Amino acid sequence: MSIAEQETRAEETIATGRAEEVGPSRRGALVGTPLLVVGVALAASNLRPAVTSMASVLGEVRDDLGASAAWTSVLTAVPTICFGLAAVAAPLLGRRLGMARAVAVALAVLTAGLVLRIVDGPWVVLGGTFVAAAGIAIGNVLIPVVVKESFPHAVGRVTGVYTAALAAGGGIGAAFTPPLEPLVGGWRGAVGAWALLSAAALVVWLAGARHGEPRPSGRAAGAGAERRPMLRRPLAWVVTAFFGLQACVAYVAMGWLSEMFVSVGVTRTDAGLMLAAINLIGIPLSFLIPPVALNRPSQSGWIVGLACCSLVAVAGLAVAPAAAPWLWTILLGTGMAVFPLGLGVIALRTRDAAETTDLSAMAQGIGYLVGAAGPFLFGMLHGVTGSWTPSLVLLGVVIVVEMVLGWVAGRPRYV
Protein backbone atom coordinates (compact mmCIF):
# COMPACT_ATOMS: atom_id res chain seq x y z
CA MET A 1 0.00 0.00 0.00
CA SER A 2 1.42 3.38 -1.00
CA ILE A 3 1.95 6.25 1.39
CA ALA A 4 -0.88 8.18 -0.32
CA GLU A 5 -3.27 5.26 0.14
CA GLN A 6 -2.25 4.92 3.79
CA GLU A 7 -2.92 8.63 4.37
CA THR A 8 -6.30 8.34 2.65
CA ARG A 9 -7.22 5.30 4.79
CA ALA A 10 -6.17 7.18 7.94
CA GLU A 11 -8.25 10.21 7.01
CA GLU A 12 -11.27 7.96 6.37
CA THR A 13 -10.80 6.30 9.76
CA ILE A 14 -10.59 9.66 11.53
CA ALA A 15 -13.68 10.90 9.68
CA THR A 16 -15.58 7.72 10.60
CA GLY A 17 -14.56 8.12 14.23
CA ARG A 18 -15.78 11.71 14.22
CA ALA A 19 -19.04 10.66 12.67
CA GLU A 20 -19.51 8.08 15.41
CA GLU A 21 -18.81 10.71 18.06
CA VAL A 22 -21.46 12.99 16.57
CA GLY A 23 -24.19 10.35 16.79
CA PRO A 24 -26.18 9.60 19.94
CA SER A 25 -24.01 8.40 22.82
CA ARG A 26 -23.98 8.21 26.57
CA ARG A 27 -22.12 11.53 26.64
CA GLY A 28 -25.00 13.37 25.02
CA ALA A 29 -27.82 15.05 26.90
CA LEU A 30 -31.10 13.20 27.05
CA VAL A 31 -33.52 14.31 24.35
CA GLY A 32 -36.07 16.68 25.90
CA THR A 33 -39.28 15.00 24.77
CA PRO A 34 -42.71 15.07 26.48
CA LEU A 35 -42.17 11.41 27.41
CA LEU A 36 -38.94 12.39 29.18
CA VAL A 37 -40.90 14.98 31.20
CA VAL A 38 -43.28 12.16 32.21
CA GLY A 39 -40.27 10.01 33.11
CA VAL A 40 -38.78 12.82 35.21
CA ALA A 41 -42.11 13.30 36.99
CA LEU A 42 -42.57 9.59 37.73
CA ALA A 43 -38.98 9.20 38.88
CA ALA A 44 -39.41 12.23 41.16
CA SER A 45 -42.65 10.85 42.59
CA ASN A 46 -40.65 7.91 43.97
CA LEU A 47 -38.02 9.97 45.81
CA ARG A 48 -40.11 10.56 48.96
CA PRO A 49 -42.60 7.69 49.62
CA ALA A 50 -39.76 5.55 50.99
CA VAL A 51 -39.45 8.13 53.78
CA THR A 52 -43.01 9.32 54.35
CA SER A 53 -44.64 5.88 54.15
CA MET A 54 -42.47 4.64 57.01
CA ALA A 55 -42.90 7.86 58.99
CA SER A 56 -46.69 7.61 58.84
CA VAL A 57 -46.67 4.20 60.59
CA LEU A 58 -43.53 4.71 62.67
CA GLY A 59 -45.26 3.91 65.96
CA GLU A 60 -46.59 0.56 64.71
CA VAL A 61 -43.22 -0.38 63.23
CA ARG A 62 -41.41 0.43 66.47
CA ASP A 63 -43.92 -1.50 68.60
CA ASP A 64 -44.07 -4.51 66.28
CA LEU A 65 -40.28 -4.82 66.14
CA GLY A 66 -39.80 -4.05 69.86
CA ALA A 67 -37.32 -1.35 68.87
CA SER A 68 -35.89 1.36 71.12
CA ALA A 69 -36.22 5.13 70.87
CA ALA A 70 -32.58 5.29 69.71
CA TRP A 71 -33.33 2.84 66.87
CA THR A 72 -36.31 4.97 65.86
CA SER A 73 -34.13 8.08 65.78
CA VAL A 74 -31.54 6.27 63.67
CA LEU A 75 -34.26 5.07 61.26
CA THR A 76 -35.46 8.63 60.70
CA ALA A 77 -31.87 9.78 60.13
CA VAL A 78 -30.77 6.92 57.82
CA PRO A 79 -32.31 8.37 54.63
CA THR A 80 -30.57 11.72 54.90
CA ILE A 81 -27.26 10.11 55.90
CA CYS A 82 -27.44 7.86 52.85
CA PHE A 83 -28.51 10.77 50.64
CA GLY A 84 -25.25 12.45 51.58
CA LEU A 85 -22.97 9.42 51.21
CA ALA A 86 -24.44 8.09 47.97
CA ALA A 87 -24.73 11.54 46.38
CA VAL A 88 -20.93 11.73 46.19
CA ALA A 89 -20.90 8.72 43.85
CA ALA A 90 -23.73 9.98 41.63
CA PRO A 91 -21.62 12.17 39.26
CA LEU A 92 -19.18 9.30 38.66
CA LEU A 93 -22.09 6.96 37.95
CA GLY A 94 -23.58 9.51 35.56
CA ARG A 95 -20.31 9.87 33.66
CA ARG A 96 -19.63 6.13 33.48
CA LEU A 97 -23.11 4.93 32.55
CA GLY A 98 -24.71 8.04 31.06
CA MET A 99 -27.75 9.76 32.54
CA ALA A 100 -30.31 7.32 31.11
CA ARG A 101 -28.70 4.23 32.60
CA ALA A 102 -27.64 5.92 35.85
CA VAL A 103 -31.17 7.06 36.72
CA ALA A 104 -32.47 3.61 35.73
CA VAL A 105 -29.98 2.03 38.15
CA ALA A 106 -31.18 4.45 40.83
CA LEU A 107 -34.81 3.36 40.36
CA ALA A 108 -33.83 -0.33 40.35
CA VAL A 109 -31.85 0.05 43.59
CA LEU A 110 -34.74 1.96 45.17
CA THR A 111 -37.18 -0.83 44.25
CA ALA A 112 -34.89 -3.50 45.69
CA GLY A 113 -34.49 -1.56 48.95
CA LEU A 114 -38.24 -1.08 49.36
CA VAL A 115 -38.74 -4.84 49.08
CA LEU A 116 -35.76 -5.75 51.27
CA ARG A 117 -36.78 -3.68 54.27
CA ILE A 118 -40.06 -5.52 54.86
CA VAL A 119 -38.72 -9.09 54.97
CA ASP A 120 -37.19 -9.27 58.47
CA GLY A 121 -36.40 -7.53 61.76
CA PRO A 122 -35.01 -4.14 62.89
CA TRP A 123 -31.56 -4.43 61.29
CA VAL A 124 -32.98 -5.55 57.94
CA VAL A 125 -35.42 -2.62 58.07
CA LEU A 126 -32.46 -0.28 58.57
CA GLY A 127 -30.44 -1.99 55.83
CA GLY A 128 -33.29 -1.95 53.33
CA THR A 129 -33.97 1.71 54.11
CA PHE A 130 -30.29 2.46 53.47
CA VAL A 131 -30.39 0.65 50.10
CA ALA A 132 -33.60 2.44 49.08
CA ALA A 133 -32.14 5.77 50.13
CA ALA A 134 -29.02 5.10 48.02
CA GLY A 135 -31.22 4.88 44.95
CA ILE A 136 -33.02 8.05 45.98
CA ALA A 137 -29.71 9.86 46.48
CA ILE A 138 -28.56 9.13 42.94
CA GLY A 139 -31.86 10.41 41.56
CA ASN A 140 -31.68 13.49 43.79
CA VAL A 141 -28.36 14.52 42.23
CA LEU A 142 -28.83 13.48 38.60
CA ILE A 143 -32.42 14.43 37.79
CA PRO A 144 -31.80 18.21 38.29
CA VAL A 145 -28.87 17.85 35.88
CA VAL A 146 -31.18 16.15 33.36
CA VAL A 147 -33.56 19.09 33.71
CA LYS A 148 -30.81 21.66 33.07
CA GLU A 149 -29.26 19.75 30.14
CA SER A 150 -32.39 18.52 28.39
CA PHE A 151 -34.67 21.53 28.94
CA PRO A 152 -32.27 24.51 28.97
CA HIS A 153 -35.00 26.99 27.97
CA ALA A 154 -37.61 25.66 30.39
CA VAL A 155 -35.66 25.05 33.60
CA GLY A 156 -38.23 26.83 35.76
CA ARG A 157 -41.24 24.99 34.31
CA VAL A 158 -39.69 21.52 34.34
CA THR A 159 -38.26 22.13 37.82
CA GLY A 160 -41.82 22.93 38.85
CA VAL A 161 -43.06 19.63 37.39
CA TYR A 162 -40.20 17.77 39.09
CA THR A 163 -40.77 19.27 42.53
CA ALA A 164 -44.55 18.98 42.27
CA ALA A 165 -44.19 15.27 41.54
CA LEU A 166 -41.72 15.01 44.41
CA ALA A 167 -44.23 16.61 46.78
CA ALA A 168 -47.10 14.50 45.45
CA GLY A 169 -45.15 11.29 45.98
CA GLY A 170 -44.31 12.25 49.55
CA GLY A 171 -47.89 13.25 50.32
CA ILE A 172 -49.44 10.16 48.78
CA GLY A 173 -46.99 7.93 50.65
CA ALA A 174 -47.99 9.50 53.96
CA ALA A 175 -51.73 9.64 53.30
CA PHE A 176 -52.32 6.17 51.89
CA THR A 177 -49.96 3.99 53.93
CA PRO A 178 -52.07 3.92 57.17
CA PRO A 179 -55.33 3.05 55.35
CA LEU A 180 -53.48 0.34 53.41
CA GLU A 181 -52.45 -1.49 56.60
CA PRO A 182 -55.75 -3.34 57.27
CA LEU A 183 -56.11 -4.16 53.57
CA VAL A 184 -52.70 -5.79 53.13
CA GLY A 185 -52.17 -7.36 56.55
CA GLY A 186 -50.11 -4.79 58.42
CA TRP A 187 -47.36 -2.25 58.05
CA ARG A 188 -45.05 -4.52 56.02
CA GLY A 189 -47.46 -4.85 53.12
CA ALA A 190 -48.44 -1.18 53.29
CA VAL A 191 -44.82 0.03 53.26
CA GLY A 192 -43.68 -2.53 50.67
CA ALA A 193 -46.49 -1.67 48.26
CA TRP A 194 -44.60 1.44 47.16
CA ALA A 195 -42.11 -0.79 45.36
CA LEU A 196 -44.79 -1.21 42.67
CA LEU A 197 -44.73 2.54 41.98
CA SER A 198 -40.95 2.63 41.64
CA ALA A 199 -41.01 -0.40 39.33
CA ALA A 200 -43.57 1.35 37.12
CA ALA A 201 -41.40 4.49 37.05
CA LEU A 202 -38.43 2.38 35.95
CA VAL A 203 -40.39 1.00 32.98
CA VAL A 204 -41.47 4.49 31.84
CA TRP A 205 -37.94 5.87 32.31
CA LEU A 206 -36.44 3.11 30.16
CA ALA A 207 -38.96 3.93 27.44
CA GLY A 208 -38.49 7.71 27.50
CA ALA A 209 -34.80 8.37 28.27
CA ARG A 210 -32.77 8.57 25.06
CA HIS A 211 -29.40 10.25 24.58
CA GLY A 212 -28.93 12.78 21.80
CA GLU A 213 -25.78 14.06 20.19
CA PRO A 214 -22.81 14.55 22.52
CA ARG A 215 -22.08 18.10 23.53
CA PRO A 216 -18.69 19.65 24.19
CA SER A 217 -17.62 19.14 27.78
CA GLY A 218 -18.33 22.16 29.93
CA ARG A 219 -14.85 21.85 31.38
CA ALA A 220 -13.24 21.85 27.97
CA ALA A 221 -15.38 24.71 26.79
CA GLY A 222 -14.30 27.01 29.53
CA ALA A 223 -10.89 28.34 30.38
CA GLY A 224 -9.16 25.53 32.26
CA ALA A 225 -7.04 27.94 34.29
CA GLU A 226 -10.18 29.54 35.73
CA ARG A 227 -11.66 26.23 36.91
CA ARG A 228 -11.31 25.68 40.63
CA PRO A 229 -12.49 22.68 42.61
CA MET A 230 -16.02 23.27 43.87
CA LEU A 231 -14.85 22.74 47.45
CA ARG A 232 -12.68 25.88 47.14
CA ARG A 233 -15.54 28.17 46.09
CA PRO A 234 -17.12 30.14 48.97
CA LEU A 235 -20.52 30.53 47.33
CA ALA A 236 -20.65 26.76 46.75
CA TRP A 237 -20.35 26.29 50.52
CA VAL A 238 -23.13 28.81 51.12
CA VAL A 239 -25.42 26.99 48.68
CA THR A 240 -24.47 23.67 50.30
CA ALA A 241 -25.17 24.90 53.84
CA PHE A 242 -28.48 26.44 52.77
CA PHE A 243 -29.51 23.23 51.04
CA GLY A 244 -28.51 21.16 54.06
CA LEU A 245 -30.49 23.26 56.52
CA GLN A 246 -33.65 23.25 54.42
CA ALA A 247 -33.28 19.47 54.14
CA CYS A 248 -32.89 19.31 57.92
CA VAL A 249 -36.22 21.12 58.39
CA ALA A 250 -37.99 18.99 55.78
CA TYR A 251 -36.84 15.65 57.15
CA VAL A 252 -37.59 16.60 60.73
CA ALA A 253 -41.12 17.40 59.58
CA MET A 254 -41.48 14.21 57.55
CA GLY A 255 -39.93 12.06 60.26
CA TRP A 256 -41.52 13.46 63.42
CA LEU A 257 -44.58 15.63 62.69
CA SER A 258 -46.98 12.69 62.73
CA GLU A 259 -45.68 11.36 66.07
CA MET A 260 -45.76 14.86 67.58
CA PHE A 261 -49.42 15.33 66.70
CA VAL A 262 -50.36 11.86 67.96
CA SER A 263 -48.68 12.64 71.30
CA VAL A 264 -50.93 15.70 71.80
CA GLY A 265 -54.17 13.86 71.07
CA VAL A 266 -54.56 13.87 67.29
CA THR A 267 -55.68 10.52 65.86
CA ARG A 268 -53.10 8.59 63.87
CA THR A 269 -55.21 8.78 60.72
CA ASP A 270 -55.53 12.56 61.02
CA ALA A 271 -51.82 12.85 61.82
CA GLY A 272 -51.06 10.89 58.65
CA LEU A 273 -53.27 13.25 56.68
CA MET A 274 -51.43 16.23 58.15
CA LEU A 275 -48.11 14.67 57.19
CA ALA A 276 -49.52 14.17 53.71
CA ALA A 277 -50.69 17.78 53.62
CA ILE A 278 -47.24 19.27 54.23
CA ASN A 279 -46.11 17.43 51.10
CA LEU A 280 -49.24 18.00 49.01
CA ILE A 281 -49.20 21.74 49.68
CA GLY A 282 -45.97 21.76 47.72
CA ILE A 283 -47.71 20.62 44.52
CA PRO A 284 -49.47 23.88 43.57
CA LEU A 285 -46.61 25.91 45.03
CA SER A 286 -44.13 24.00 42.86
CA PHE A 287 -46.07 25.01 39.75
CA LEU A 288 -46.42 28.63 40.87
CA ILE A 289 -43.17 29.61 42.61
CA PRO A 290 -40.24 28.18 40.54
CA PRO A 291 -41.35 29.57 37.14
CA VAL A 292 -41.60 33.03 38.71
CA ALA A 293 -38.73 33.01 41.21
CA LEU A 294 -36.20 31.21 39.02
CA ASN A 295 -36.76 33.64 36.15
CA ARG A 296 -35.76 36.60 38.32
CA PRO A 297 -32.17 37.69 38.94
CA SER A 298 -32.49 37.12 42.70
CA GLN A 299 -34.37 34.47 44.68
CA SER A 300 -33.44 35.87 48.10
CA GLY A 301 -36.80 37.47 48.93
CA TRP A 302 -38.72 34.31 48.05
CA ILE A 303 -36.42 32.17 50.19
CA VAL A 304 -36.73 34.42 53.23
CA GLY A 305 -40.51 34.70 52.90
CA LEU A 306 -40.97 30.94 52.75
CA ALA A 307 -38.60 30.39 55.68
CA CYS A 308 -40.67 32.83 57.74
CA CYS A 309 -43.70 30.57 57.23
CA SER A 310 -41.75 27.64 58.66
CA LEU A 311 -40.60 29.75 61.60
CA VAL A 312 -44.17 30.77 62.50
CA ALA A 313 -45.27 27.12 62.26
CA VAL A 314 -42.52 25.94 64.58
CA ALA A 315 -43.38 28.69 67.09
CA GLY A 316 -47.01 27.59 67.00
CA LEU A 317 -46.07 23.94 67.52
CA ALA A 318 -43.94 24.90 70.51
CA VAL A 319 -46.57 27.11 72.18
CA ALA A 320 -49.90 25.42 71.34
CA PRO A 321 -49.52 22.33 69.11
CA ALA A 322 -53.09 21.07 69.61
CA ALA A 323 -54.75 24.49 69.29
CA ALA A 324 -54.49 24.77 65.50
CA PRO A 325 -52.68 21.70 64.11
CA TRP A 326 -53.94 22.25 60.57
CA LEU A 327 -52.74 25.87 60.57
CA TRP A 328 -49.25 24.81 61.70
CA THR A 329 -49.30 22.08 59.06
CA ILE A 330 -50.24 24.47 56.25
CA LEU A 331 -47.60 27.01 57.29
CA LEU A 332 -44.91 24.35 57.56
CA GLY A 333 -45.86 22.88 54.20
CA THR A 334 -45.69 26.35 52.64
CA GLY A 335 -42.26 26.92 54.15
CA MET A 336 -41.01 23.62 52.77
CA ALA A 337 -41.74 24.94 49.27
CA VAL A 338 -38.26 26.48 49.56
CA PHE A 339 -36.94 23.10 48.34
CA PRO A 340 -37.44 23.77 44.59
CA LEU A 341 -35.61 27.06 45.06
CA GLY A 342 -32.79 25.13 46.71
CA LEU A 343 -32.56 23.00 43.57
CA GLY A 344 -33.01 26.04 41.35
CA VAL A 345 -30.13 28.03 42.80
CA ILE A 346 -27.83 25.06 42.14
CA ALA A 347 -28.60 25.45 38.43
CA LEU A 348 -28.67 29.26 38.43
CA ARG A 349 -25.42 29.73 40.32
CA THR A 350 -23.48 27.59 37.81
CA ARG A 351 -22.39 28.34 34.25
CA ASP A 352 -22.68 24.92 32.60
CA ALA A 353 -23.82 21.33 33.09
CA ALA A 354 -20.41 20.20 34.40
CA GLU A 355 -20.51 22.80 37.17
CA THR A 356 -24.17 21.96 37.86
CA THR A 357 -23.29 18.28 38.35
CA ASP A 358 -20.40 19.13 40.68
CA LEU A 359 -22.38 21.63 42.73
CA SER A 360 -25.40 19.33 42.86
CA ALA A 361 -23.23 16.50 44.20
CA MET A 362 -21.57 18.80 46.74
CA ALA A 363 -24.76 20.51 47.89
CA GLN A 364 -26.72 17.28 48.17
CA GLY A 365 -23.83 15.10 49.34
CA ILE A 366 -22.64 17.34 52.15
CA GLY A 367 -26.01 19.04 52.58
CA TYR A 368 -27.92 15.85 53.27
CA LEU A 369 -25.25 14.74 55.77
CA VAL A 370 -25.83 18.03 57.58
CA GLY A 371 -29.57 17.53 57.27
CA ALA A 372 -29.32 14.02 58.73
CA ALA A 373 -28.37 15.47 62.09
CA GLY A 374 -31.77 17.16 62.31
CA PRO A 375 -34.13 14.16 62.67
CA PHE A 376 -31.63 12.37 64.93
CA LEU A 377 -31.07 15.30 67.31
CA PHE A 378 -34.76 16.21 67.25
CA GLY A 379 -35.73 12.69 68.33
CA MET A 380 -32.93 12.32 70.88
CA LEU A 381 -33.74 15.66 72.53
CA HIS A 382 -37.36 14.60 72.85
CA GLY A 383 -36.34 11.23 74.24
CA VAL A 384 -34.03 12.76 76.86
CA THR A 385 -36.28 15.63 77.98
CA GLY A 386 -39.70 14.06 77.45
CA SER A 387 -40.83 17.33 75.84
CA TRP A 388 -41.06 18.55 72.27
CA THR A 389 -40.15 22.14 73.20
CA PRO A 390 -36.31 21.84 73.25
CA SER A 391 -36.43 20.05 69.91
CA LEU A 392 -38.64 22.78 68.41
CA VAL A 393 -36.38 25.54 69.74
CA LEU A 394 -33.43 23.87 68.01
CA LEU A 395 -35.46 23.64 64.80
CA GLY A 396 -36.31 27.34 65.03
CA VAL A 397 -32.61 28.23 65.27
CA VAL A 398 -31.91 26.09 62.20
CA ILE A 399 -34.60 27.96 60.24
CA VAL A 400 -33.15 31.37 61.16
CA VAL A 401 -29.69 30.32 59.93
CA GLU A 402 -31.27 28.82 56.80
CA MET A 403 -32.94 32.17 56.15
CA VAL A 404 -29.64 34.08 56.33
CA LEU A 405 -27.76 31.64 54.11
CA GLY A 406 -30.67 31.48 51.67
CA TRP A 407 -30.55 35.25 51.27
CA VAL A 408 -26.88 35.02 50.24
CA ALA A 409 -27.38 31.94 48.02
CA GLY A 410 -30.26 33.62 46.19
CA ARG A 411 -28.25 36.63 45.04
CA PRO A 412 -27.42 36.72 41.28
CA ARG A 413 -23.82 35.55 40.83
CA TYR A 414 -21.89 32.40 39.95
CA VAL A 415 -19.88 30.04 42.13
XYZ file of all heavy atoms in Angstrom, residues 217-228 233 351-352 355:
119
model
N -17.692 19.125 26.327
C -17.622 19.143 27.783
C -17.575 20.557 28.294
O -16.846 21.408 27.783
C -16.366 18.395 28.263
O -16.142 18.616 29.625
N -18.327 20.830 29.335
C -18.331 22.165 29.935
C -16.959 22.548 30.412
O -16.555 23.687 30.383
N -16.187 21.556 30.868
C -14.854 21.849 31.385
C -13.913 22.214 30.236
O -13.051 23.056 30.369
C -14.313 20.641 32.163
C -15.149 20.331 33.373
C -14.492 19.284 34.235
N -15.323 18.918 35.361
C -15.507 19.641 36.434
N -14.929 20.810 36.547
N -16.274 19.235 37.418
N -14.099 21.535 29.097
C -13.236 21.855 27.968
C -13.617 23.174 27.341
O -12.791 23.889 26.797
C -13.315 20.727 26.929
N -14.905 23.502 27.432
C -15.377 24.708 26.786
C -14.903 25.948 27.481
O -14.713 26.983 26.880
C -16.908 24.678 26.712
N -14.715 25.864 28.765
C -14.299 27.015 29.529
C -12.795 27.105 29.592
O -12.051 26.279 29.121
N -12.333 28.169 30.190
C -10.893 28.337 30.380
C -10.442 27.469 31.534
O -10.837 27.661 32.665
C -10.575 29.801 30.654
N -9.585 26.482 31.239
C -9.161 25.533 32.258
C -8.499 26.200 33.435
O -8.627 25.758 34.573
N -7.754 27.289 33.198
C -7.042 27.944 34.294
C -8.000 28.568 35.292
O -7.653 28.796 36.434
C -6.099 29.015 33.730
N -9.231 28.881 34.844
C -10.178 29.536 35.732
C -11.005 28.540 36.544
O -11.740 28.921 37.432
C -11.111 30.429 34.908
C -10.375 31.567 34.202
C -11.332 32.397 33.357
O -12.532 32.069 33.324
O -10.864 33.363 32.732
N -10.877 27.248 36.217
C -11.660 26.235 36.909
C -11.005 25.913 38.254
O -9.854 25.519 38.318
C -11.749 24.961 36.073
C -12.487 25.152 34.755
C -13.981 25.228 34.994
N -14.702 25.331 33.735
C -16.000 25.410 33.640
N -16.751 25.404 34.717
N -16.577 25.516 32.468
N -11.771 26.072 39.301
C -11.306 25.679 40.627
C -12.186 24.567 41.146
O -13.357 24.485 40.790
C -11.371 26.867 41.594
C -10.374 27.979 41.326
C -10.529 29.048 42.386
N -11.846 29.667 42.334
C -12.424 30.289 43.360
N -11.815 30.343 44.521
N -13.620 30.835 43.223
N -14.741 27.014 46.487
C -15.539 28.170 46.090
C -16.484 28.550 47.236
O -17.365 27.765 47.612
C -16.340 27.853 44.829
C -15.449 27.349 43.681
C -16.219 27.202 42.408
N -15.456 26.473 41.397
C -15.775 26.390 40.118
N -16.871 27.005 39.684
N -15.051 25.703 39.273
N -22.458 27.870 35.635
C -22.389 28.341 34.251
C -22.720 27.252 33.232
O -23.125 27.560 32.122
C -20.979 28.886 33.962
C -20.613 30.123 34.771
C -19.168 30.536 34.491
N -18.793 31.740 35.224
C -18.377 31.747 36.490
N -18.294 30.598 37.158
N -18.050 32.874 37.085
N -22.484 25.990 33.574
C -22.679 24.916 32.603
C -23.052 23.633 33.326
O -23.073 23.564 34.549
C -21.417 24.713 31.744
C -20.154 24.566 32.597
O -20.161 23.720 33.518
O -19.164 25.284 32.344
N -20.478 22.143 35.873
C -20.513 22.803 37.173
C -21.790 22.439 37.935
O -21.769 22.268 39.158
C -20.427 24.324 37.002
C -19.039 24.832 36.694
C -18.951 26.351 36.817
O -20.013 27.013 36.810
O -17.826 26.867 36.921
